[in-house]
Amino acid sequence: MNLTPEQVAEMAPDPAAAVAGKKLVAVKHWPELGRSSVALWGKCQGSAVYQVKVDLANLGYNCSCPSRKFPCKHVLGLLMLAAQSPEALAEQANPAWVDDWLVKRRSREETQAAKTDQPAAQADAKAQQKRAQQRGANIRDGLSRLDLWLKDLVRAGLAGVETKPESFWEEQSKRLVDAQAPGLASRVARLSSIARSSPDWVGRLFAELGRIKLLLHAHDRLDALEAPLASDIRQIIGWNVSQTELDQTGERLDDTWVVAGQWVDDDDRVRSQRSWVVGRQTGRTGLILQFSPGGQPFAESIVAGSEQMGTLVFYPGSARLRAKFVHREGAVATLASRPPGCDTIEDFLAGVSAALSRQPWQNAFGGVLRDVTFVRRSDAWLVRDGSGEALPLAGANHWKGMAISGGHPCDLAVEWDGHRLRHLGLFAAGQYWNG
């Protein structure tokens, strides 16, 4: 493992945990420390002696402390110590308590894989079919009600929409949740953020309403569409892809995957993590989504600015964008050379256009813009490539990026929503920096 202390700090569930972890970056707190090719471990002296273990294959961790934060300060402290003073962890054989944990961990992973490989027929097929049919009926009813609401909204015009309270949009979103269409519910809820968001908000709102109408029309013709596009529509509405379907129709791809950028959204109920990865050999871009309800840890430790060999499986559909790891090989390594990406903004936008031609409801496009510079113009920030083309940046303060790059060209990990770029990470002078 060669992660930086800054990357470890980004793994913390909150700033307080990161600060607490930094306080443990001293050998005096650790009466026992060690590393092997597969694990890091240590015993941390606190109010008791806690056993801390880290699996280097995927940065899985465990601590015997009672903390409800994941990772806890002891795990963060061990990782920071290993990053800052690797010589403090001598290479040696795993102690028995570490081997026991690794064996149980591998056993759980194998058991889980075996469960997901079992055919769905082992469940009550008739009951499943009945639930699916009932949900389908609920969704159709919910979409029909939404269609009437859209028609009334457009017929009345958008004059005065900017004065509507959030509850105006939330009511429609909640109705879709009740209709078991959570994906579309989230899309409708986001409409409230468009009003008054920019001088061209009316056009943007009409465009999004048009995409939702197109989605409803496509759902009515679901059986007549090609299977990949039909799968996309079902996922946008809110149907989950089963493990069986993912195994049968998902696309698997081996590569060295660079985690180019990442951001976490926390709505106080569910934390969501969006990690954009790029394959070094294939140049393929993927989006790994993870969700954490009730303060629980994310299922996998995925660190921005790292890379690792492994296998991704891409979810079925025409977009083939969302993905998840099915296998990770070797240790997680800090990004040491520039990530693959687009050499011009025109190339990046051409990729966006191609993606939209396959699936017009995509609203986020990730990637790496290479050799771009930060530009401040009036009160706005832009990124500009060598040909002079530029795109606007979201946010009002990008002085840190300007300072790190020194105003020189750098490689920028971004997420594009069709209007603004979200700055996720920066690679300059042989080093990665979080956005």
Side-chain angles (χ1 to χ4, degrees), residues 144-188:
S144 177
R145 293 174 182 273
L146 177 65
D147 192 36
L148 288 175
W149 179 77
L150 287 174
K151 289 176 180 177
D152 290 342
L153 182 63
V154 173
R155 186 181 299 114
L158 297 186
V161 167
E162 71 274 17
T163 65
K164 298 287 187 182
E166 285 195 16
S167 58
F168 175 76
W169 311 97
E170 289 176 352
E171 181 181 357
Q172 301 304 318
S173 177
K174 289 176 181 178
R175 289 179 180 178
L176 288 168
V177 170
D178 293 340
Q180 297 178 281
L184 184 55
S186 297
R187 200 174 191 105
V188 170

Side-chain angles (χ1 to χ4, degrees), residues 52-103:
V52 189
K53 294 89 71 177
V54 176
D55 185 348
L56 292 180
N58 50 24
L59 294 185
Y61 50 81
N62 178 266
C63 180
S64 60
C65 78
S67 174
R68 295 185 180 181
K69 292 185 178 183
F70 306 98
C72 67
K73 65 180 181 180
H74 307 106
V75 171
L76 294 169
L78 178 63
L79 286 169
M80 289 179 181
L81 180 58
Q84 185 171 307
S85 305
E87 69 282 355
L89 285 76
E91 186 85 22
Q92 55 188 294
N94 295 333
W97 54 276
V98 174
D99 275 334
D100 289 345
W101 174 68
L102 288 172
V103 168

